[in-house]
């Protein structure tokens, strides 16, 4: 889930307004917190730590989605695939995984055949 959505849900669950959150965050005014809640800006590390404390959650919980989207080990295609996968229903995700596993199995079998044939 994107950071702005996570922040919105946590704020709503705790009955906090942008002004309430801003009072708990160093160097963050209401306009800045509102921009975070709209996904227009990203908080810095110190502010993320303060947000986590204010909401009573681990900072990693706020960053889980962000970390996965910024994973340098993933190619752009992998990021695109993950984004598309997350947009599917649970049933669609299951069907897609079955297809992908089937394709991966077939690709492995073809690779093994080619290796045996080249020896």
């Amino acid at each position: 889930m994107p950071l702005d959505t996570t922040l919105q849900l946590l704020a709503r669950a705790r009955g906090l307004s942008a002004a309430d959150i801003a009072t708990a965050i160093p160097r963050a005014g209401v306009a800045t917190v509102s921009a975070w809640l709209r996904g227009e800006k990203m908080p810095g590390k110190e502010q993320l730590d303060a947000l986590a404390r204010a909401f009573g959650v681990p900072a990693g919980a706020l960053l889980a989605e962000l970390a996965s989207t910024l994973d340098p080990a993933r190619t752009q295609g992998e990021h695109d695939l993950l984004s598309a996968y997350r947009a599917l229903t649970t049933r669609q995700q299951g069907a897609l995984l079955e297809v992908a596993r089937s394709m991966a199995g077939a690709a492995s079998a073809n690779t093994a055949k080619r290796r045996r044939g080249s020896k």
Side-chain angles (χ1 to χ4, degrees):
M1 168 179 332
L3 179 61
D4 59 318
T5 305
T6 301
L7 294 176
Q8 291 169 20
L9 290 172
L10 288 169
R12 195 173 306 129
R14 287 163 177 73
L16 299 175
S17 67
D20 296 329
I21 298 167
T23 61
I25 310 302
R27 295 185 299 274
V30 176
T32 299
V33 172
S34 294
W36 296 340
L37 293 169
R38 290 190 305 270
E40 296 170 357
K41 289 185 176 182
M42 291 292 294
K45 182 186 177 342
E46 182 180 327
Q47 295 162 326
L48 277 168
D49 290 340
L51 282 166
R53 283 191 303 276
F55 289 124
V57 299
L62 297 177
L63 293 176
E65 174 77 12
L66 181 62
S68 71
T69 61
L70 297 178
D71 183 352
R74 289 190 181 145
T75 65
Q76 184 59 48
E78 289 170 317
H79 286 291
D80 293 344
L81 183 60
L82 182 59
S83 178
Y85 175 83
R86 288 182 175 156
L88 300 174
T89 65
T90 303
R91 187 173 181 181
Q92 291 169 324
Q93 288 174 347
L96 180 60
L97 283 172
E98 284 183 40
V99 171
R101 286 182 182 126
S102 171
M103 291 173 70
S108 293
N110 288 337
T111 300
K113 283 180 189 177
R114 280 195 305 271
R115 285 186 182 147
R116 283 192 302 265
S118 65
K119 289 183 180 182

